[in-house]
Amino acid sequence: MQGEPQTWFGLRAAVMMIGASDRRCSSTEISVPVLGMHCASCVSRVERFLSNIEGVTAATVNLASDTATAMFESDPASTALVVAAVEDAGYVVPTTETRLHIQGMHCTSCVRRVERFIGDLPGVLDAAVNLTTGDAHVRHVRSVPTYDDLTAAIGASGYAVISRAPAPIGAAWGEDDTVETARGLEQRLIGWQAAVALSIGLAVLWAEAKYIPGIWRPEIFANPLVGLALATPVQFWAGWRFYRGAWATARHGSADMNTLIALGTTAAYAFSLVLTVWPTAISGDPADVYYYDTATIIIGLVLLGRWLETRAKGQTSAAINQLIGMQPTTARIERGGEFVDIPIGNVRAGDVVHVVPGAQIPVDGDVLDGTSAVDESMVTGESLPVEKAAGDQVVGATINTTGSLRILATTVGRTSVLARVIRLVEQAQTTKAPVQKLADQVAARFVPAVLLAAVISFGSWFAIGPDPKLTHSLVSFVAVLVIACPCALGLATPTAIMVGTGKGAEHGVLIRGGDALEVAGQIDTLVLDKTGTITQGRPELTDVVSLNSVPEAQLLSLAAAAEFNSEHPIGQAIVRGAKARGITAPRAQAFRSVTGGGVRATVGRHVVVVGSDKLLASEGISIGRTGESARALGAQGRTALYIAIDGQLDGLLAVADTVKPEASNTIAELRRMGLRVLMFTGDQPETARAIARAVGIKETRAAMGPEDKAAAVRQLQDSGARVAMAGDGINDAPALAQAHLGIAVGNGTDIAVEASDITLLHTNLHGVITAIELSRRTMRTIKQNLGWAFGYNILLLPIAAGALFPTLGFQMNPMLAASAMALSSLSVVANSLRLRRFRPRDLPDSYS
């Protein structure tokens, strides 16, 4: 099929984005998982501690993926410093220890060498190697590095791992040693604590019977000691995480969401405790007003909100988990003339892999023999299978549909296409959109402002409020602390970016991160390169014209035979055209290629010349008035070739870089979306105009070099346009870099991909619409999330402080405040999850 070489090179080019980003500077990036963050102030705090590390130039924390990233200006960079900073900020980096047995060490220099190679891996905190036993104990961030990374590093040092401990040292609950396991354990614990706290809270609520007068309750419940006995385990078991978090931040003179919950519930609990042990201690307040129910139910509701939030946050990474889940686990390889099934991690480059129909292709590689159609939709988003035969390249985790294939493994493990795509999406999901900066600035000052507002509310109502003043003031104080929700501010952007970039990858659109999403949603002008973007990128046979009653089939058969040995793209186009039409080309003799002119060959009893008018003139063959027909074809953007048989001009052939089938409708849809569409090309004006007319582009510029394209983009920007540039060639790279948004199409060169912000993994131009529409939808979702988060706090904080009490007599119950707070965070995540329903729009067959 025509698209298969472009598809592969597009995949290869797309994943080079990661390598490209590494080449742009000498900085080193370290990312670690973080447990315990719940709001924007947590994010701000961790970022501040990371930024204080010497040598760190940038720090980013993603609340949705629970990841912290520090960018060091140069090597060496220390994972230990990053982990220490996160822990100093009061949060937890899940770590573990892996034990390996190493063969071949003989002295202390061997030990130091192994330790150095292991220590250079990202995620390693320290490594200790015992020369006597041969054991290496590596303490590292959970899941980073992997076991394969460790063995590869040891191998690079010159030694070998001969065994692995049955289970990772320190693995909790016998589970696999992964970050997901740690998150799962944490989520289950929060769920249990929430259930216990809410159950006890409802029992206390029944015991106190404040809100339903006359309700029956056992006589013993009238004793406040029952409420104290029930509430105390909740306060200091389920609520301990809030105290721990509050203390961790207080040690450094700061505060966060944990501070607010800890202060609010402690105030309610302590007030009730004082009344329980000393009923007459607080003058003017009745001794039967207790708030044990408030403290316990607030803790239960906040924990329930966090449990629901963590479940929902897990769904934001569904697309990346789906990609990870696509990785095959085993491969059938040839060993000694037999097929052996082995774990995918044991496959090495150079192995020969056998893939049966219906099975996953386990590795990237080259087809040695066999033919089949391969479903590459998991990488490219394209639903139609691609025909593969000997010499073609295949991508690991794609599906072999019809025939058996023998494949030479070329790329395995972390360097495979799928692994690089996954890594690229993960990196994109850790970035922030510029619009998040406002939320970050607010979040940094949010908790101190809430604390001040709570104190002011308490003091104001205690001074001028109704009796009993202390209880009224306390209720307002607790409500203000509990209803504040910096969590929603922190989740507004990262959850939407995670879902948006994940959906993009699902449909073959790789987006670098939040900044690219925001820019893509703002563009109003789109510049398209011609060759390889609007057109197929290679010439195809379009016309066969017989001049002397020679059948067209015979004419094309002789021309294909003459061109069969030609390496010129035009000659190969003629050969493909004959094959596509079911015409067999006989074997040619005495083949001769004339540079810049064409070919001459003997086919059977005929001497066949195919090429330009100059070549025919050198053969003494006149083209006569046929030149007018050739010029007419040229005006349509086609290249005309003459074919002469036995010294007589018998026909014309025309080849052209044909327009992609979807180009016309795609461009019409882009214009309908409000975009101004232009075409830039280095081709001749006649060809450019013909292509522009065919696809409905009204503005085109031709005969442009790389600098000309970049200058033209700059000129558009100077006029106030927000410009996106889509291209695939080396000559497009300067314009891609100059544009506000660069889009590299699927058959792009590595240089074009490096300069771009979005990469299409397939050659279908429709991906441009998908990228722009998904970006707009994602940015709309982010703005909705931020609007809700800001609006919620601006509206409900004054109500919690008692703004409605003077006119309506309404004082917000702290339990209602806790419910609203939990609902606020959950609503932001749920709104982001709506992006999972995004589907690329179907284009109509034609536009009127």
Side-chain angles (χ1 to χ4, degrees):
M1 295 179 65
Q2 291 180 359
E4 73 189 68
Q6 285 94 332
T7 300
W8 168 259
F9 287 115
L11 297 176
R12 179 177 177 276
V15 298
M16 287 300 292
M17 290 176 69
I18 297 171
S21 63
D22 292 339
R23 293 191 297 269
R24 288 180 175 180
C25 60
S26 61
S27 60
T28 302
E29 181 182 286
I30 292 180
S31 295
V32 297
V34 181
L35 298 180
M37 298 186 299
H38 300 288
C39 63
S41 59
C42 300
V43 171
S44 177
R45 177 176 178 77
V46 174
E47 287 181 345
R48 187 171 72 253
F49 274 70
L50 291 177
S51 298
N52 289 337
I53 301 175
E54 185 177 356
V56 169
T57 57
T60 304
V61 175
N62 188 313
L63 182 60
S65 62
D66 296 322
T67 304
T69 302
M71 184 71 73
F72 288 78
E73 60 187 1
S74 62
D75 283 321
S78 172
T79 301
L81 288 177
V82 173
V83 172
V86 171
E87 292 177 344
D88 284 346
Y91 303 94
V92 176
V93 175
T95 61
T96 190
E97 186 172 347
T98 299
R99 183 171 66 248
L100 308 99
H101 191 74
I102 302 173
Q103 186 180 41
M105 298 184 299
H106 303 289
C107 61
T108 55
S109 62
C110 302
V111 170
R112 287 197 298 270
R113 179 175 175 80
V114 173
E115 288 178 343
R116 187 174 76 252
F117 273 73
I118 295 176
D120 288 340
L121 289 174
V124 171
L125 301 176
D126 56 67
V129 177
N130 188 308
L131 180 62
T132 304
T133 63
D135 285 337
H137 295 259
V138 185
R139 191 167 68 91
H140 57 91
V141 175
R142 289 197 177 189
S143 78
V144 181
T146 64
Y147 176 72
D148 288 342
D149 295 332
L150 291 169
T151 56
I154 293 169
S157 71
Y159 305 95
V161 176
I162 61 172
S163 68
R164 182 189 186 186
I169 299 172
W173 298 62
E175 302 256 359
D176 289 339
D177 184 38
T178 64
V179 176
E180 289 303 317
T181 300
R183 289 175 179 165
L185 290 171
E186 178 77 357
Q187 183 177 326
R188 287 196 291 274
L189 177 59
I190 291 176
W192 274 108
Q193 290 178 330
V196 171
L198 286 174
S199 299
I200 292 177
L202 291 174
V204 175
L205 185 65
W206 180 37
E208 295 183 358
K210 293 199 297 282
Y211 305 104
I212 310 177
I215 189 174
W216 178 87
R217 58 177 176 163
E219 192 68 29
I220 192 174
F221 278 15
N223 190 331
L225 290 175
V226 173
L228 174 62
L230 291 172
T232 299
V234 174
Q235 190 70 34
F236 298 105
W237 171 65
W240 180 249
R241 66 179 59 248
F242 303 120
Y243 287 111
R244 183 181 59 207
W247 170 246
T249 57
R251 285 188 302 131
H252 299 281
S254 185
D256 63 3
M257 189 70 196
N258 292 308
T259 308
L260 301 180
I261 302 301
L263 282 177
T265 57
T266 301
Y269 177 84
F271 177 81
S272 304
L273 177 63
V274 171
L275 286 179
T276 299
V277 300
W278 192 4
T280 60
I282 303 176
S283 176
D285 285 292
D288 61 345
V289 177
Y290 303 96
Y291 289 96
Y292 291 123
D293 59 337
T294 298
T296 54
I297 290 180
I298 285 175
I299 289 174
L301 287 172
V302 173
L303 290 175
L304 176 62
R306 288 191 178 180
W307 181 76
L308 292 172
E309 180 186 309
T310 54
R311 281 176 57 89
K313 281 163 60 178
Q315 296 177 45
T316 63
S317 57
I320 197 74
N321 291 335
Q322 184 179 0
L323 285 173
I324 294 172
M326 288 177 176
Q327 299 176 105
T329 58
T330 62
R332 174 167 291 187
I333 67 170
E334 292 184 8
R335 289 281 169 87
E338 297 182 353
F339 293 122
V340 181
D341 291 325
I342 65 172
I344 191 66
N346 293 340
V347 179
R348 297 292 178 261
D351 285 341
V352 176
V353 182
H354 182 250
V355 186
V356 299
Q360 272 188 304
I361 296 174
V363 295
D364 299 351
D366 300 327
V367 177
L368 294 176
D369 55 62
T371 59
S372 182
V374 176
D375 180 359
E376 296 182 337
S377 59
M378 49 73 61
V379 174
T380 67
E382 291 290 292
S383 58
L384 293 178
V386 180
E387 295 294 331
K388 300 291 183 180
D392 291 332
Q393 294 162 312
V394 292
V395 181
T398 55
I399 306 298
N400 178 35
T401 61
T402 55
S404 296
L405 296 174
R406 286 178 70 247
I407 298 167
L408 177 67
T410 57
T411 309
V412 296
R414 290 173 59 84
T415 57
S416 68
V417 166
L418 181 61
R420 291 186 177 190
V421 169
I422 291 171
R423 199 152 62 246
L424 175 63
V425 176
E426 288 175 336
Q427 289 175 354
Q429 291 181 341
T430 64
T431 64
K432 291 184 178 181
V435 72
Q436 176 70 10
K437 292 179 180 179
L438 175 61
D440 291 344
Q441 293 170 357
V442 172
R445 299 166 178 79
F446 186 84
V447 173
V450 170
L451 288 171
L452 180 61
V455 171
I456 292 174
S457 176
F458 180 90
S460 299
W461 289 118
F462 190 75
I464 61 173
D467 290 328
K469 291 184 177 182
L470 183 57
T471 54
H472 188 94
S473 303
L474 179 68
V475 168
S476 293
F477 176 79
V478 174
V480 170
L481 292 176
V482 172
I483 204 168
C485 191
C487 308
L489 290 172
L491 291 168
T493 296
T495 53
I497 288 177
M498 288 187 72
V499 180
T501 54
K503 290 303 292 184
E506 187 178 316
H507 295 291
V509 178
L510 296 185
I511 303 169
R512 277 191 184 272
D515 50 350
L517 276 170
E518 183 164 339
V519 172
Q522 298 171 345
I523 66 165
D524 53 34
T525 302
L526 174 65
V527 175
L528 298 173
D529 171 52
K530 179 182 75 70
T531 306
T533 303
I534 294 176
T535 66
Q536 299 283 8
R538 65 177 184 179
E540 299 293 344
L541 181 67
T542 58
D543 298 87
V544 180
V545 180
S546 176
L547 300 177
N548 296 319
S549 301
V550 179
E552 289 184 1
Q554 180 184 357
L555 198 69
L556 185 54
S557 174
L558 292 172
E563 293 281 8
F564 189 82
N565 293 318
S566 173
E567 296 181 355
H568 195 281
I570 291 179
Q572 291 301 306
I574 294 172
V575 174
R576 286 195 305 271
K579 184 178 180 180
R581 291 163 173 80
I583 296 173
T584 303
R587 184 178 297 276
Q589 303 293 331
F591 170 81
R592 181 169 64 91
S593 175
V594 179
T595 303
V599 299
R600 186 182 191 278
T602 301
V603 183
R605 293 174 299 172
H606 303 289
V607 176
V608 181
V609 178
V610 182
S612 66
D613 54 353
K614 293 181 180 179
L615 176 61
L616 265 67
S618 69
E619 294 283 336
I621 302 171
S622 173
I623 62 173
R625 299 184 62 181
T626 308
E628 296 178 6
S629 300
R631 285 189 289 273
L633 289 170
Q636 300 173 36
R638 304 175 186 182
T639 299
L641 303 171
Y642 301 93
I643 174 169
I645 303 172
D646 297 327
Q648 179 177 315
L649 179 61
D650 283 319
L652 275 177
L653 302 176
V655 297
D657 185 5
T658 57
V659 172
K660 292 179 179 178
E662 77 283 356
S664 181
N665 282 354
T666 298
I667 289 167
E669 183 66 14
L670 288 165
R671 292 175 60 190
R672 197 190 68 79
M673 292 168 62
L675 296 175
R676 175 188 176 191
V677 183
L678 304 89
M679 184 181 77
F680 290 175
T681 179
D683 214 334
Q684 297 303 310
E686 295 82 4
T687 303
R689 285 194 292 268
I691 296 296
R693 282 196 304 270
V695 298
I697 293 180
K698 301 184 184 306
E699 300 178 75
T700 182
R701 303 183 190 181
M704 303 181 75
E707 296 81 5
D708 299 326
K709 291 183 179 181
V713 168
R714 191 180 306 112
Q715 188 178 42
L716 289 170
Q717 292 171 323
D718 291 342
S719 68
R722 301 284 293 177
V723 182
M725 170 74 188
D728 73 320
I730 292 176
N731 63 335
D732 298 322
L736 288 169
Q738 175 63 42
H740 293 109
L741 181 77
I743 303 174
V745 298
N747 54 347
T749 63
D750 294 348
I751 295 176
V753 171
E754 180 178 345
S756 68
D757 304 294
I758 294 176
T759 294
L760 309 183
L761 290 180
H762 46 72
T763 60
N764 194 319
L765 192 58
H766 185 226
V768 176
I769 293 178
T770 302
I772 293 172
E773 191 172 33
L774 178 60
S775 298
R776 289 179 174 180
R777 285 272 298 275
T778 304
M779 288 309 303
R780 187 159 62 243
T781 300
I782 289 174
K783 290 174 181 177
Q784 290 169 350
N785 288 347
L786 290 174
W788 166 257
F790 280 114
Y792 163 88
N793 286 292
I794 291 171
L795 177 65
L796 293 187
L797 273 171
I799 294 176
L804 298 181
F805 187 81
T807 56
L808 301 179
F810 175 76
Q811 184 180 29
M812 181 173 286
N813 187 291
M815 290 184 287
L816 179 61
S819 301
M821 186 274 289
L823 180 62
S824 176
S825 295
L826 189 60
S827 63
V828 166
V829 179
N831 189 47
S832 295
L833 288 175
R834 292 191 306 117
L835 283 169
R836 293 177 64 186
R837 299 201 297 264
F838 173 84
R839 294 290 182 273
R841 67 173 70 186
D842 294 325
L843 298 182
D845 293 334
S846 62
Y847 285 79
S848 57

